[in-house]
Amino acid sequence: MRLSNVPSWQYLLRDVLELYYMGSAGGSAKIRTHMAEVRRALGKVFEDDPEIDYGPAKMLPVCEHLDRAISSSTGLRTAKVARSLESVRGLLNWKYGYEKVPRGLTRKYGYTEILGPNGPVVSDRIIVGCVLFAPKTTYPAHSHKGITESYVCIAGNTSENDAGVYAPGSLIFNPPGQMHRITTADREPCLLVYAWTGNPEDLRNQKMSFSKK
Ligand SMILES: [Fe+2]
């Protein structure tokens, strides 16, 4: 099945694209370049009209927090993407992405890919997905080799490297190799959209792994 035949996935990708059109780069040249790269890659994906390959849907314990995250975005400019995600939620494959899930994270974290070499929308131009964190979660320090990463906060509040607090609509930028550790608020879940840009080889071979201190 092609993307052009599945409106719900088109809407979801268009809403992600809109985040990268409407959001500000805050005056940062590096972030502006990354946002333009995300827009360019997503634009190409629409031109390519790639296959959608769902595979089996899978839930994780953290999905218990998805309703709350989606409803907490009501009235915010991130609500649209949250609602588009909701409309495909029955098809999503939530993963930990680690051979050994760090203790304490099994009920508190999961991610689901939307677009990338592994699908569901199959493309090697860019990886886009969502991460969901339960309240009071610490996601251990990690980095991504050869990958430039941005997170856009969709619901809840989060902090990275104790450097600030990001609310819905905020963009967090991690250049390749930069270590980052994420924490979430005490009582509310946090939903983030992420985009990874890099060369196709790096995107294909990316492994989730935590740094050992
Ligand atoms: Fe990351």
Side-chain angles (χ1 to χ4, degrees):
M1 206 171 3
R2 296 270 170 192
L3 178 61
S4 60
N5 295 320
V6 193
S8 52
W9 288 85
Q10 283 179 54
Y11 290 138
L12 176 57
L13 285 180
R14 287 201 191 283
D15 292 345
V16 170
L17 180 56
E18 199 175 287
L19 296 173
Y20 285 83
Y21 271 114
M22 306 301 281
S24 168
S28 160
K30 284 182 184 171
I31 295 175
R32 192 179 304 122
T33 301
H34 169 73
M35 291 174 81
E37 249 175 78
V38 172
R39 293 195 300 267
R40 200 177 313 119
L42 283 174
K44 289 256 171 61
V45 168
F46 281 106
E47 280 174 28
D48 296 341
D49 193 18
E51 281 289 327
I52 304 191
D53 184 1
Y54 301 123
K58 189 174 185 299
M59 305 261 280
L60 288 179
V62 74
C63 294
E64 294 275 336
H65 298 276
L66 187 58
D67 278 331
R68 177 69 177 190
I70 289 169
S71 66
S72 76
S73 72
T74 304
L76 307 177
R77 73 179 171 87
T78 53
K80 233 163 94 173
V81 70
R83 295 297 299 276
S84 316
L85 187 71
E86 186 173 30
S87 71
V88 298
R89 70 187 289 175
L91 298 164
L92 297 173
N93 178 2
W94 291 88
K95 305 178 216 183
Y96 294 120
Y98 301 94
E99 280 169 31
K100 250 184 101 185
V101 185
R103 217 180 328 136
L105 274 190
T106 49
R107 304 197 60 81
K108 304 200 96 179
Y109 147 87
Y111 76 96
T112 184
E113 287 175 307
I114 295 169
L115 162 69
N118 306 315
V121 180
V122 184
S123 174
D124 59 5
R125 294 186 184 278
I126 184 170
I127 294 178
V128 173
C130 287
V131 196
L132 180 62
F133 296 109
K136 223 174 185 170
T137 299
T138 297
Y139 186 66
H142 66 284
S143 63
H144 310 281
K145 207 174 137 234
I147 299 288
T148 302
E149 175 187 68
S150 53
Y151 295 108
V152 178
C153 183
I154 304 301
N157 287 274
T158 185
S159 182
E160 190 190 89
N161 296 344
D162 299 312
V165 181
Y166 304 99
S170 302
L171 183 146
I172 309 170
F173 179 67
N174 295 310
Q178 174 168 296
M179 295 295 296
H180 48 289
R181 172 183 167 274
I182 290 168
T183 54
T184 63
D186 282 356
R187 293 183 198 280
E188 293 294 332
C190 180
L191 178 66
L192 308 174
V193 159
Y194 65 89
W196 285 0
T197 57
N199 69 49
E201 182 119 334
D202 283 330
L203 289 175
R204 261 195 309 274
N205 298 326
Q206 201 53 217
K207 285 213 176 62
M208 307 281 280
S209 61
F210 291 117
S211 62
K212 295 217 172 54
K213 287 241 172 92

